[in-house]
Amino acid sequence: MLRQSLTAFFAASLLMAAPLAGVEGKWTPRQVLELDPAWLKELGLQMPPEKLWDPNRGTGLLSAAVNIGGCSAGFVSETGLILTNHHCLFGVLQEHSTAQRDLMTHGFLARSPQEELRGRTTRVTVPRRFTDVTKAVLSAVPAGAADLARWEAIEKKQKELVAECEKKPGARCRVAAFDGGVEYVLIESFELDDVRLVYAPPRAIGEYGGEVDNWMWPRHTGDFAVARAYKDGKPYRPEFWFPISRAGVKPGDFVMVLGYPGRTVRSLTAAEMALQRDGFFALRARIYGEWIRLLEESTKDSRDGSIAVAGTLKSLNNVVKNAQGQMAGLARGRIIERQEQQENEVLAWAAQRPEWKPAIDARRELVELAARRRATALRDFLLQSVASGPVALRHAAQLVRLAAERAKPDMEREAQYMERRLPQLKARLERDQKSFYRPADEALLRSWLRHALSLPAGARIRAVDERFRSGSLDDAVARLYAGTRVTDLAERMKMFGETLDQLRARRDSMLDLALALEPELRAFDRAGREHEGAISRLRPVWRRAVAAHAGKPVAPDANGTLRVSFAHVKGYSPREAVEYLPQTTLAGMIEKHTGEEPFALPKALLEAAAKTEPVKVPLNFLADADTTGGNSGSPTVNGRGELVGLNFDRVWENVANDFGYNPAIARNVNADIRFFLWLLEHVDHAGSLLRELGVQDR
Amino acid sequence: MLRQSLTAFFAASLLMAAPLAGVEGKWTPRQVLELDPAWLKELGLQMPPEKLWDPNRGTGLLSAAVNIGGCSAGFVSETGLILTNHHCLFGVLQEHSTAQRDLMTHGFLARSPQEELRGRTTRVTVPRRFTDVTKAVLSAVPAGAADLARWEAIEKKQKELVAECEKKPGARCRVAAFDGGVEYVLIESFELDDVRLVYAPPRAIGEYGGEVDNWMWPRHTGDFAVARAYKDGKPYRPEFWFPISRAGVKPGDFVMVLGYPGRTVRSLTAAEMALQRDGFFALRARIYGEWIRLLEESTKDSRDGSIAVAGTLKSLNNVVKNAQGQMAGLARGRIIERQEQQENEVLAWAAQRPEWKPAIDARRELVELAARRRATALRDFLLQSVASGPVALRHAAQLVRLAAERAKPDMEREAQYMERRLPQLKARLERDQKSFYRPADEALLRSWLRHALSLPAGARIRAVDERFRSGSLDDAVARLYAGTRVTDLAERMKMFGETLDQLRARRDSMLDLALALEPELRAFDRAGREHEGAISRLRPVWRRAVAAHAGKPVAPDANGTLRVSFAHVKGYSPREAVEYLPQTTLAGMIEKHTGEEPFALPKALLEAAAKTEPVKVPLNFLADADTTGGNSGSPTVNGRGELVGLNFDRVWENVANDFGYNPAIARNVNADIRFFLWLLEHVDHAGSLLRELGVQDR
């Protein structure tokens, strides 16, 4: 069925005069094997699809596309070298930077393996096996279970499957739900926890254009970095890695983008999409936008402060610009209106077919759920941001939750507080000290509290009301920080081992706030689980009707699992009378150089550029790949599986493709491997690294 | 010679694959007749060049291109209708706007001749005759005259020529110097002083995109307005007018832009260009940029204040953005460096030819003059801006100067204070009341004084030092405004007739400041005249060497006289990986509509657009015409002399073409006549105006 409909789609696209139209779909490894090989060949694939993935052996070229802390990455040598984005390894640069040795600014090159810098929390996950466990999961749900019970049953079954799977030595497993539970897949991977930074360019190259150019085209960013995975203290030797192409790409060339797209929401109903917009993106834009200003103001006179909040700022800026783009894209593409229209068509179709009545009911219930959640959107957003906002409150809340969870048997704990995850949590609680700068943190907490105090009746936070409703908020926050030792690294690490009673006995102001918030955070989590239970009950019923009405299968929403997108190097028209060509070069990078951040190139690069023909050094390129957040660092490979670049962004017009794919503007931004090679050779003189990558004679 | 070299140029351009390359040159009417008719035909001219201009009869199609208060415009009907830019007639809209009847916001359409709105100071000048008077002018200079005497002799001779010329009834004459005096031409025109507004769209259309889009592409601005010239109370009947083309243009089409380009500086030496940059554009950007902020802040809570400063703000914004573009373009195009290189080539060439030694000396003296003027650049800028800055000080200075000049015989006065000009000055002093808003004016004067107090030793302003060096500047400025009646319209008009003694006897604080400044303003003017005298002595000597070295003549720098530029409809690449197509449509205008200024289209337009195919209503187009400020409102006509649009801007990348022409980025922005016609027909339902324009059946 899949094969047939895609062939039909392809035949239709052949009728068009232009080059191949964009191909929607983040395909799973299994789907790749179900696609018509002739169609893939026509697109540009120059190898048998089985070379991408062999489900029996649990390996193939796709196993060279790995996950690295929320980013994607690719093995590029038999000696465990991994290529990913500069911004994906930025945390390691930050971790090893000091006021005296500012690696973020100056970049880093290990001249020998001894110089490589280990990232304390950096992990690489390599995929090994994908097993459909839908039946097993659903049969664990008791008949007539309420939504919370349903969620708990699914969760328990998933944990069991994961525990069983992880009995294999070195295995890391998860169960991933596709489109809310149309399918559940057990994914077996293995983790490499010794990852060391080998190379990163100066920030002025790796982030060239900064926030000004972020999400933009034309782009001129050298968003590359290299790490090496170790196993048992020795360089890890992957079975597959991507050879590096020196030939590069030209307009029209076929490419594949391999990686771990995080989350898309194309399977939501229109009402849920509208809630995403108003109750999520709009709040992100407003509140995180405020936090960006607060962080900038509170650190403007402090070098230490600026270094401390650099990572947070970077991520907030990214998130806010994304939120704005999502909203603009939703409006411009009329995506929600179109989804609603499509829904109405499905409803009309289902209304004439009694066997699909449950789908009509499921969709109505989904819409009602969204309406109810709308009323508490701001409170939910604030409670959610306890886990990502002011560092001190986040730590206090984590310590309280940890103490509470540790009192339970391991299998009954929340996933992130299970024993296997605790070393990571502990490392994060340590590493976060680098991101803590008290004036900035106080400013964020004041803002968080002010918003909490503004909540409407019926959706307020009692712990905040009780403590902060009267008196000066500034004074209250100052007292909070004066009365806590959570912000003290050594003391915090002691707290890591303490029970709830011990934490209470400390009479620590921030812990006390977290203790007071804990019941409300629990209730919020519980409501979330209940909601997820409802979704797992309703979404599959509705989505199966949508698929049946469409008469053809579609790639599922992104969920952090390995996917492949088929694409071509291609420009686009962002607006009337403007055409974007798909490639930029070093010449354009130099044209943008003003000497002022974020357009201040290092002298070494300018000098090297002066000795070459900059227009002959390709730098970034566009393709019409179907990507989203999490695809950062994805290997972009040609039809022979050779690496030609790294995905590192989408264009602004395409940000809302999380809600729907539009071939006219669906463009991802790739860093061209030829710039990376030029940089290593002519600016960094990194001969031995180039030899290891197989692109320089030994 | 001219004919030959241009033919050679054209032959060379034919060798290129692309369409015709940009043609540098703002040609004078006489030069047009010297160009090779075959070449003009090849470019796209579909009429004999003599139809453009007949020097014997002193008329031709070019006489339909008129000057309207610093802008260009074109006759478009036998009944005296004139088409020009919205921004060129904005002053008339402002003049007739009240808080109750806001024509600026809502636009205007006269449904009958009785409703037309006369612009108090609006004048139209129609060209009639161009006579080379170089010999007459230069022979008036006594042998061995010092520079000031030289200037005075030239000035006197010019006045005599003008006076003689204006003996003809209705004649308005001027002598224009080309390239500093390589040539002097007596230009005879006649003036129509009864000009009435017939149509202007709402500001939201005529200025769509506002400061955001100003100088930008893609553009979507309906920058059109219609006036009618009257003579003896009846519609003026021009001999020539431009028929309106309903066919419009497409990429590659030939167009001519006819008009009155104000000033370019391509004939300056590199040192003088650098002084223009640092001592003029940089100061404009800095000080006028500050004034924009002050005007916005001081009027933000006042509707009257906002209306009063609207025109000033518009012009300051325009000037600042222009200054920034000039500086950016100079840097990007390395224009000064190239001019210097060219100069060095001419110098090397001249060094081997003893007959050209005077040119070498002249150029050295030009460079030395520039170096001396650099030291007093800020003071000179401030003294100069007395005539364009705070309204009260400007009026006081004008009244003082008027009283002083009126004591002299008419022929010995400064040109703008001669009897023939006084009615205009008086009308301006009246009309300016509309632009006066005291809090804004005080803010500008405080700024002006603060800058004056910051001047370096040796270049200070004594009248300012004596009064404002000590004490609070804020208090002093408040006292100035409290103690003056210059800001009172009736009182000011009385002052218009008073002598210096009478003005002194008033003991008016602002007049007293102007009286104290007067000697310094006089000295500044005198230094300026002396400088002009030197330029008139040196520039022609140097420029003749440059021309001889080049071996081909060039069109002279713009000087406010009638010129023609030959061009083609054509896009460009503003930067790497971006291509601009040369046409926009109503569809793009609607795409930009956000509902918030400057992208808030009137409901009537949106409704009319919903009933059409917006992509079929062309709106703006690019051509590679050689234009500058003053070309605003220039008729853009096709090879048959039919009007296809109105020039209204240049693109940002091309602003520095005042210093040098670059065919790759030399693009002017035109409003497409087809949008104007659509607007009249479908939004304004202006059937009778369309019939008068000959584009709708009667």
Side-chain angles (χ1 to χ4, degrees):
Chain A
M1 175 89 140
L2 181 57
R3 189 171 298 202
Q4 185 182 358
S5 66
L6 279 168
T7 313
F9 169 80
F10 179 65
S13 79
L14 265 192
L15 296 177
M16 300 193 257
L20 291 162
V23 180
E24 175 170 2
K26 302 172 180 75
W27 307 100
T28 66
R30 205 186 61 196
Q31 281 182 311
V32 169
L33 301 177
E34 290 168 359
L35 296 172
D36 181 356
W39 175 67
L40 289 173
K41 192 174 172 187
E42 201 102 28
L43 282 179
L45 185 66
Q46 298 179 49
M47 60 173 83
E50 308 82 63
K51 287 199 84 174
L52 286 173
W53 190 252
D54 176 345
N56 300 320
R57 286 190 57 231
T59 191
L61 192 59
L62 286 181
S63 72
V66 298
N67 189 317
I68 185 163
C71 278
S72 304
F75 280 119
V76 286
S77 80
E78 56 186 333
T79 50
L81 286 180
I82 294 168
L83 195 60
T84 187
N85 288 156
H86 175 267
H87 74 264
C88 294
L89 292 177
F90 188 75
V92 184
L93 286 165
Q94 193 180 11
E95 182 182 336
H96 289 276
S97 280
T98 59
Q100 291 76 42
R101 191 189 185 215
D102 184 352
L103 300 180
M104 296 186 288
T105 300
H106 302 298
F108 174 76
L109 172 64
R111 294 276 168 198
S112 72
Q114 290 72 38
E115 288 181 15
E116 294 171 7
L117 300 172
R118 183 164 177 181
R120 190 181 302 229
T121 58
T122 313
R123 304 279 183 278
V124 162
T125 313
V126 185
R128 196 151 58 184
R129 187 172 301 276
F130 302 84
T131 313
D132 186 339
V133 292
T134 314
K135 274 186 192 157
V137 169
L138 292 182
S139 65
V141 179
D147 287 335
L148 188 57
R150 181 183 173 85
W151 181 89
E152 281 163 352
I154 292 174
E155 182 74 2
K156 181 157 175 284
K157 184 68 194 177
Q158 291 186 355
K159 279 184 185 172
E160 287 167 8
L161 289 165
V162 166
E164 179 65 29
C165 173
E166 292 197 347
K167 281 184 184 158
K168 291 180 210 166
R172 277 288 170 198
C173 304
R174 65 172 280 211
V175 174
F178 288 75
D179 285 351
V182 170
E183 195 171 48
Y184 291 88
V185 174
L186 176 68
I187 300 171
E188 182 193 329
S189 313
F190 60 94
E191 189 179 273
L192 300 162
D193 62 3
D194 182 353
V195 183
R196 308 181 193 173
L197 184 69
V198 175
Y199 170 75
R203 197 170 184 174
I205 295 172
E207 270 181 33
Y208 192 63
E211 295 311 324
V212 180
D213 271 7
N214 196 10
W215 304 100
M216 293 293 147
W217 185 261
R219 197 66 163 277
H220 299 87
T221 307
D223 201 349
F224 288 102
V226 181
R228 190 194 306 275
Y230 281 80
K231 198 176 180 191
D232 306 323
K234 285 188 190 133
Y236 173 72
R237 304 188 77 88
E239 186 182 347
F240 287 89
W241 70 91
F242 302 106
I244 283 177
S245 161
R246 271 185 283 199
V249 289
K250 58 181 190 314
D253 278 2
F254 170 78
V255 290
M256 293 181 277
V257 176
L258 322 172
Y260 297 82
R263 181 161 181 258
T264 57
V265 288
R266 294 179 192 168
S267 65
L268 297 195
T269 60
E272 292 168 289
M273 286 184 175
L275 175 60
Q276 277 275 320
R277 178 189 59 199
D278 307 331
F280 184 67
F281 288 121
L283 296 177
R284 277 190 153 186
R286 182 157 63 91
I287 295 176
Y288 289 175
E290 184 186 321
W291 288 9
I292 288 169
R293 286 189 299 280
L294 292 172
L295 290 179
E296 284 173 347
E297 277 164 27
S298 58
T299 59
K300 69 172 187 288
D301 300 322
S302 160
R303 188 159 167 70
D304 288 345
S306 301
I307 291 181
V309 306
T312 311
L313 254 185
K314 199 169 147 67
S315 126
L316 285 176
N317 268 314
N318 203 40
V319 161
V320 167
K321 203 161 179 179
N322 175 293
Q324 290 163 338
Q326 300 275 6
M327 291 189 290
L330 282 174
R332 188 180 164 186
R334 300 180 52 78
I335 292 174
I336 295 177
E337 293 81 349
R338 284 185 195 175
Q339 186 79 337
E340 182 145 40
Q341 191 185 331
Q342 201 216 335
E343 258 167 69
N344 288 333
E345 286 167 18
V346 177
L347 288 172
W349 171 88
Q352 298 180 329
R353 290 165 178 79
E355 70 274 26
W356 288 108
K357 180 164 184 309
I360 298 178
D361 297 340
R363 185 254 178 196
R364 194 188 52 245
E365 218 181 314
L366 286 169
V367 172
E368 288 164 0
L369 275 177
R372 277 203 299 282
R373 287 166 72 83
R374 188 172 273 270
T376 59
L378 176 57
R379 186 200 61 188
D380 294 351
F381 183 84
L382 291 173
L383 289 175
Q384 221 172 343
S385 65
V386 166
S388 59
V391 177
L393 180 60
R394 175 169 90 218
H395 285 169
Q398 285 172 331
L399 291 165
V400 167
R401 180 64 59 94
L402 169 63
E405 291 293 303
R406 196 138 47 182
K408 303 177 186 171
D410 197 44
M411 283 298 285
E412 289 171 26
R413 294 184 198 169
E414 287 177 14
Q416 63 264 47
Y417 294 94
M418 290 170 76
E419 283 302 327
R420 55 196 275 278
R421 293 272 198 94
L422 293 189
Q424 254 176 282
L425 177 61
K426 188 170 184 181
R428 253 202 326 276
L429 282 170
E430 264 190 76
R431 197 178 75 163
D432 278 355
Q433 194 65 19
K434 284 245 173 197
S435 305
F436 179 74
Y437 178 67
R438 182 163 153 181
D441 216 54
E442 287 193 20
L444 294 196
L445 189 55
R446 272 195 301 275
S447 161
W448 187 88
L449 289 168
R450 210 169 2 248
H451 285 292
L453 289 170
S454 80
L455 286 167
R460 296 189 63 90
I461 302 175
R462 197 200 296 179
V464 170
D465 286 345
E466 281 169 355
R467 278 143 206 268
F468 302 97
R469 203 166 213 169
S470 58
S472 151
L473 191 58
D474 290 6
D475 294 349
V477 169
R479 277 197 304 275
L480 260 181
Y481 280 82
T484 187
R485 303 199 67 183
V486 161
T487 56
D488 177 300
L489 176 57
E491 207 60 35
R492 183 163 74 245
M493 297 328 290
K494 273 191 216 156
M495 296 172 184
F496 189 82
E498 293 181 354
T499 64
L500 274 179
D501 285 341
Q502 285 173 309
L503 293 178
R504 271 193 211 99
R506 280 178 169 268
R507 305 198 141 277
D508 180 291
S509 55
M510 198 65 75
L511 286 174
D512 286 349
L513 173 58
L515 285 161
L517 276 170
E518 173 72 356
E520 287 173 280
L521 289 168
R522 289 275 180 192
F524 168 67
D525 289 349
R526 192 164 49 245
R529 289 194 290 268
E530 192 172 358
H531 177 73
E532 273 183 52
I535 294 294
S536 75
R537 174 170 58 82
L538 303 167
R539 176 101 54 233
V541 179
W542 169 243
R543 288 305 294 179
R544 273 191 283 269
V546 172
H549 168 260
K552 63 176 182 187
V554 285
D557 260 323
N559 59 356
T561 63
L562 179 59
R563 305 291 179 95
V564 184
S565 167
F566 302 110
H568 295 87
V569 176
K570 200 171 174 184
Y572 73 111
S573 169
R575 56 192 184 280
E576 185 178 67
V578 182
E579 296 284 348
Y580 284 163
L581 309 184
Q583 291 185 293
T584 64
T585 71
L586 178 59
M589 184 185 227
I590 288 163
E591 203 174 278
K592 278 184 180 173
H593 169 77
T594 60
E596 283 180 40
E597 279 187 18
F599 299 104
L601 289 168
K603 214 169 140 228
L605 183 141
L606 291 170
E607 286 170 359
K611 289 182 204 149
T612 183
E613 272 187 276
V615 77
K616 293 196 174 161
V617 182
L619 177 42
N620 288 172
F621 64 90
L622 292 175
D624 55 4
D626 190 356
T627 61
T628 187
N631 269 121
S632 275
S634 282
T636 303
V637 305
N638 63 20
R640 289 182 300 279
E642 296 160 348
L643 192 134
V644 293
L646 285 187
N647 171 77
F648 73 99
D649 203 358
R650 277 175 290 170
V651 297
W652 180 249
E653 293 79 10
N654 185 35
V655 169
N657 82 334
D658 287 357
F659 290 83
Y661 182 90
N662 178 350
I665 52 164
R667 296 296 179 277
N668 72 313
V669 187
N670 306 272
D672 194 302
I673 195 68
R674 288 170 290 181
F675 175 76
F676 171 72
L677 298 178
W678 177 83
L679 195 65
L680 286 187
E681 183 172 349
H682 296 279
V683 181
D684 293 302
H685 310 291
S688 74
L689 181 52
L690 284 163
R691 278 190 294 278
E692 210 182 324
L693 291 168
V695 288
Q696 206 171 67
D697 300 332
R698 279 163 198 269
Chain B
M1 177 85 146
L2 182 57
R3 189 170 297 199
Q4 183 183 359
S5 67
L6 279 167
T7 313
F9 169 81
F10 178 65
S13 79
L14 264 193
L15 297 176
M16 300 195 258
L20 291 162
V23 180
E24 175 169 4
K26 302 170 180 77
W27 306 100
T28 66
R30 207 187 57 197
Q31 281 182 310
V32 169
L33 301 177
E34 290 168 0
L35 297 172
D36 181 356
W39 175 68
L40 289 173
K41 191 173 172 188
E42 202 103 28
L43 281 179
L45 186 66
Q46 298 179 49
M47 61 173 83
E50 308 82 65
K51 288 199 84 172
L52 286 174
W53 191 251
D54 177 345
N56 300 318
R57 287 189 58 231
T59 193
L61 192 59
L62 285 182
S63 71
V66 298
N67 190 316
I68 184 163
C71 278
S72 304
F75 281 119
V76 286
S77 81
E78 54 186 336
T79 51
L81 287 180
I82 294 168
L83 195 59
T84 187
N85 288 154
H86 174 267
H87 74 266
C88 294
L89 291 176
F90 188 74
V92 184
L93 286 165
Q94 195 181 10
E95 183 182 335
H96 289 276
S97 280
T98 60
Q100 291 74 43
R101 193 190 183 212
D102 185 352
L103 301 179
M104 297 186 287
T105 299
H106 302 298
F108 174 77
L109 172 64
R111 295 273 169 200
S112 72
Q114 290 71 39
E115 288 181 16
E116 293 172 8
L117 301 172
R118 184 164 177 182
R120 191 181 302 227
T121 58
T122 313
R123 304 281 183 277
V124 162
T125 314
V126 186
R128 198 151 57 183
R129 187 172 303 275
F130 303 84
T131 313
D132 186 338
V133 292
T134 313
K135 273 187 194 155
V137 169
L138 293 181
S139 66
V141 178
D147 287 335
L148 188 56
R150 180 182 174 85
W151 181 88
E152 283 164 351
I154 292 174
E155 183 75 1
K156 182 157 173 284
K157 185 66 193 175
Q158 291 186 354
K159 280 183 185 173
E160 287 167 8
L161 289 165
V162 166
E164 179 65 27
C165 173
E166 293 196 346
K167 281 183 185 159
K168 293 179 212 167
R172 276 290 170 199
C173 305
R174 63 172 281 212
V175 175
F178 289 76
D179 286 350
V182 170
E183 195 171 46
Y184 292 88
V185 174
L186 177 68
I187 300 171
E188 181 194 329
S189 314
F190 60 95
E191 189 179 271
L192 299 162
D193 64 2
D194 183 354
V195 183
R196 308 181 194 173
L197 184 68
V198 175
Y199 171 75
R203 196 169 185 174
I205 295 172
E207 271 181 34
Y208 192 63
E211 295 312 322
V212 179
D213 271 8
N214 196 10
W215 305 101
M216 293 293 147
W217 186 258
R219 196 66 162 278
H220 299 86
T221 307
D223 200 349
F224 288 102
V226 181
R228 190 194 306 276
Y230 282 80
K231 197 177 181 190
D232 307 324
K234 286 187 190 134
Y236 173 71
R237 304 188 76 88
E239 187 183 346
F240 287 90
W241 70 90
F242 301 107
I244 283 178
S245 161
R246 270 184 284 200
V249 289
K250 57 181 191 313
D253 278 2
F254 170 78
V255 290
M256 293 181 275
V257 176
L258 323 172
Y260 296 81
R263 181 162 181 258
T264 56
V265 289
R266 295 179 193 167
S267 65
L268 297 195
T269 60
E272 292 168 289
M273 286 184 175
L275 176 59
Q276 278 276 318
R277 179 189 58 199
D278 308 332
F280 184 68
F281 289 121
L283 295 178
R284 277 189 152 188
R286 183 156 64 90
I287 295 175
Y288 289 175
E290 184 186 322
W291 288 9
I292 289 169
R293 287 190 298 281
L294 292 172
L295 290 179
E296 285 173 346
E297 277 165 27
S298 57
T299 61
K300 69 171 186 289
D301 299 322
S302 160
R303 187 159 167 67
D304 289 345
S306 300
I307 291 181
V309 306
T312 311
L313 254 185
K314 201 172 146 67
S315 126
L316 284 176
N317 269 313
N318 205 40
V319 161
V320 166
K321 204 161 177 179
N322 176 292
Q324 289 164 338
Q326 299 277 7
M327 292 188 290
L330 282 174
R332 190 183 162 182
R334 299 181 53 78
I335 292 175
I336 296 178
E337 293 81 349
R338 285 185 196 174
Q339 187 79 338
E340 181 147 39
Q341 191 184 327
Q342 200 216 333
E343 260 167 68
N344 288 334
E345 285 167 19
V346 177
L347 287 173
W349 171 87
Q352 299 180 328
R353 290 165 178 80
E355 72 274 25
W356 288 107
K357 178 160 184 313
I360 298 178
D361 296 341
R363 186 254 177 196
R364 194 188 52 244
E365 218 180 315
L366 286 168
V367 172
E368 287 164 2
L369 274 177
R372 278 203 298 281
R373 288 166 72 83
R374 188 173 273 271
T376 60
L378 177 57
R379 189 201 59 189
D380 294 351
F381 183 83
L382 291 173
L383 289 175
Q384 220 171 343
S385 65
V386 166
S388 60
V391 177
L393 180 60
R394 177 170 88 217
H395 285 169
Q398 284 172 332
L399 290 165
V400 167
R401 180 64 59 96
L402 169 64
E405 290 293 302
R406 197 138 47 182
K408 303 178 187 169
D410 198 44
M411 283 299 284
E412 287 171 28
R413 296 183 198 169
E414 289 177 12
Q416 63 263 47
Y417 294 95
M418 290 171 77
E419 285 300 326
R420 54 196 276 275
R421 293 271 198 95
L422 293 188
Q424 255 177 282
L425 177 61
K426 190 171 183 181
R428 254 202 325 276
L429 280 170
E430 265 190 76
R431 196 179 74 166
D432 277 355
Q433 194 65 18
K434 285 245 172 196
S435 306
F436 178 75
Y437 179 67
R438 182 164 153 180
D441 216 53
E442 288 193 21
L444 295 196
L445 189 55
R446 272 196 300 275
S447 162
W448 188 87
L449 289 168
R450 213 174 354 254
H451 284 294
L453 289 170
S454 80
L455 286 168
R460 296 189 64 90
I461 302 174
R462 199 201 294 177
V464 171
D465 286 346
E466 279 169 356
R467 277 143 206 267
F468 302 96
R469 203 165 214 168
S470 57
S472 152
L473 190 58
D474 289 5
D475 294 350
V477 169
R479 278 197 303 274
L480 259 181
Y481 280 83
T484 186
R485 303 198 67 183
V486 162
T487 56
D488 178 298
L489 175 59
E491 208 59 36
R492 184 164 72 245
M493 296 329 289
K494 274 191 217 158
M495 295 172 185
F496 189 81
E498 294 181 354
T499 64
L500 273 179
D501 284 343
Q502 286 173 307
L503 293 178
R504 270 194 212 100
R506 282 178 168 267
R507 307 198 141 275
D508 179 292
S509 55
M510 198 65 75
L511 287 174
D512 287 349
L513 173 58
L515 285 161
L517 276 171
E518 173 71 357
E520 287 173 281
L521 289 168
R522 288 273 181 195
F524 169 67
D525 291 348
R526 194 164 45 247
R529 291 194 288 269
E530 190 172 0
H531 177 73
E532 274 183 51
I535 293 294
S536 76
R537 175 171 55 81
L538 303 167
R539 175 101 57 232
V541 179
W542 169 242
R543 289 304 295 177
R544 275 192 281 268
V546 172
H549 168 259
K552 62 177 181 187
V554 285
D557 260 325
N559 58 357
T561 63
L562 180 58
R563 305 292 180 96
V564 184
S565 167
F566 302 110
H568 295 87
V569 176
K570 200 171 172 184
Y572 72 110
S573 170
R575 55 190 185 281
E576 185 178 65
V578 182
E579 296 284 349
Y580 284 162
L581 309 184
Q583 293 186 292
T584 64
T585 72
L586 177 58
M589 184 185 227
I590 289 164
E591 203 174 277
K592 277 184 180 173
H593 170 76
T594 59
E596 283 180 38
E597 279 187 20
F599 298 104
L601 289 169
K603 212 169 142 227
L605 183 140
L606 291 170
E607 286 169 0
K611 291 182 203 147
T612 184
E613 273 187 275
V615 77
K616 293 198 174 157
V617 182
L619 178 41
N620 288 172
F621 65 90
L622 293 175
D624 55 4
D626 191 355
T627 61
T628 186
N631 269 119
S632 275
S634 282
T636 303
V637 304
N638 64 20
R640 289 182 301 278
E642 296 160 347
L643 193 135
V644 292
L646 284 186
N647 172 76
F648 73 99
D649 203 0
R650 278 174 289 169
V651 297
W652 180 250
E653 294 79 9
N654 185 35
V655 169
N657 83 333
D658 288 355
F659 290 83
Y661 182 90
N662 178 351
I665 53 164
R667 295 296 179 278
N668 72 313
V669 187
N670 306 271
D672 194 302
I673 195 67
R674 288 170 289 181
F675 175 76
F676 171 72
L677 298 178
W678 177 84
L679 195 64
L680 286 187
E681 184 172 347
H682 296 279
V683 180
D684 294 300
H685 310 292
S688 74
L689 181 52
L690 284 164
R691 279 189 295 278
E692 211 183 323
L693 291 168
V695 288
Q696 206 170 67
D697 300 331
R698 281 165 195 263

